[in-house]
């Protein structure tokens, strides 16, 4: 049983080294897109949820792997900076911040 556990640990370590080598290679490739793991790490660093919205329609030429909600799961909720997500838009290899504009106070008064 101990030999099997050791063998499994070694296989896992070899897989991790292979994944690390692929990540390092990707990082050195110009014009390489970010991966979902990068967005998850951003959520951990900012200690707040990150929501990524992208196109969802048939015939879109690129695979959409970024859409979703990334939670700061490494931190207890009481240690997070905000429960409100940072909203990002994703299109063709580019992220943009989604900034929502509130109406001006005088515009609200005129509407009433």
């Amino acid at each position: 049983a101990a030999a099997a556990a050791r063998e499994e640990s070694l296989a896992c370590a070899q897989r991790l080294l292979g994944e690390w080598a692929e990540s390092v290679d990707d990082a050195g490739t110009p014009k390489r897109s970010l991966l979902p793991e990068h967005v998850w790490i951003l959520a951990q660093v900012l200690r707040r949820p990150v929501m990524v919205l992208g196109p969802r329609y048939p015939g879109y030429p690129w695979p959409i792997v970024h859409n979703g909600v990334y939670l700061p799961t490494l931190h207890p909720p009481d240690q997070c900076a905000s429960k409100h997500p940072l909203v990002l838009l994703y299109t063709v290899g580019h992220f943009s911040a989604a900034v929502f504009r509130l109406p001006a106070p005088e515009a609200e008064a005129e509407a009433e």
Side-chain angles (χ1 to χ4, degrees):
R6 180 181 161 97
E7 188 173 316
E8 184 178 336
S9 294
L10 182 59
C12 181
Q14 288 173 338
R15 280 193 307 272
L16 287 173
L17 286 173
E19 289 175 16
W20 177 254
E22 286 179 30
S23 295
V24 169
D25 186 48
D26 282 348
T29 304
K31 298 193 178 201
R32 187 68 181 210
S33 179
L34 290 175
L35 298 172
E37 298 90 88
H38 298 119
V39 182
W40 181 80
I41 290 170
L42 178 65
Q44 306 314 306
V45 171
L46 296 177
R47 293 179 181 240
R48 70 183 295 179
V50 176
M51 182 182 299
V52 179
L53 305 173
R56 286 184 184 247
Y57 53 86
Y60 188 73
W62 293 275
I64 305 301
V65 296
H66 294 89
N67 288 351
V69 178
Y70 299 82
L71 300 174
T73 53
L74 297 180
H75 308 286
D78 61 331
Q79 292 181 6
C80 289
S82 175
K83 292 182 181 181
H84 302 287
L86 170 65
V87 181
L88 300 175
L89 305 175
Y90 178 77
T91 57
V92 194
H94 297 281
F95 287 94
S96 302
V99 180
F100 300 99
R101 185 173 162 206
L102 297 175
E106 54 273 356
E108 289 179 5
E110 290 175 9
E112 293 175 8

